[in-house]
Amino acid sequence: MPGDELLGTEADREAAAEVRLGVMRLARRLHAERDPGDLTLGRLAVLGRLERDGPATTSALAVAERVTPQSMARLVQYLIDAGLVERDQDPTDRRAVILRITEAGRTRVLRERRKREAWLAEAMATELTGVERDLLLLAVRLMDRLAGS
């Protein structure tokens, strides 16, 4: 089957498995730090993207989040109904609709982000040495680079 071929050495594959597991465990732990409620990870990801990157179309959000346009439309509609996102006409193309985060949406995403970052900062301060912290920051930059490849 295409894509089933194993590349790299056994040591490369073992290292990749260890990185994957570590990233998944950290993601689950950060997920556990979220406030329980109506914002799924997908909804929070869309709010975060609009907060970080600014207004976007539904189709651009779908591409960025790697979901179908239909799935994104449902996510966006929920966020609009909740007052966290609003529709606006694209000033350069009156036929297009852009989405922008509302102040309520910005407040919500920043609160969620601060909560998770506070846990992570505390964990890093108590569990890691200065050198380990620097190595972790380097590893994150390398993971970002891999994610973009």
Side-chain angles (χ1 to χ4, degrees), residues 18-85:
E18 191 171 347
V19 168
R20 180 184 55 79
L21 285 171
V23 168
M24 287 175 52
R25 286 183 188 124
L26 182 58
R28 276 192 223 108
R29 185 62 175 88
L30 286 168
H31 177 71
E33 289 300 315
R34 291 179 49 247
D35 288 329
D38 54 353
L39 283 187
T40 62
L41 287 178
R43 292 170 182 163
L44 194 56
V46 171
L47 270 184
R49 186 168 296 279
L50 289 171
E51 191 276 326
R52 274 188 320 275
D53 299 343
T57 63
T58 302
S59 59
L61 288 170
V63 169
E65 293 297 319
R66 297 182 178 174
V67 299
T68 65
Q70 296 84 358
S71 294
M72 184 55 66
R74 284 190 299 275
L75 279 171
V76 164
Q77 189 58 55
Y78 178 91
L79 295 170
I80 290 168
D81 292 345
L84 303 173
V85 168

Side-chain angles (χ1 to χ4, degrees), residues 100-126:
R100 63 179 84 251
I101 193 168
T102 64
E103 279 309 308
R106 188 176 316 284
T107 298
R108 184 76 177 269
V109 77
L110 292 176
R111 184 181 70 221
E112 291 272 353
R113 191 178 292 157
R114 278 192 298 270
K115 185 174 194 273
R116 287 175 289 143
E117 286 174 355
W119 171 82
L120 187 54
E122 176 69 21
M124 289 170 61
T126 58

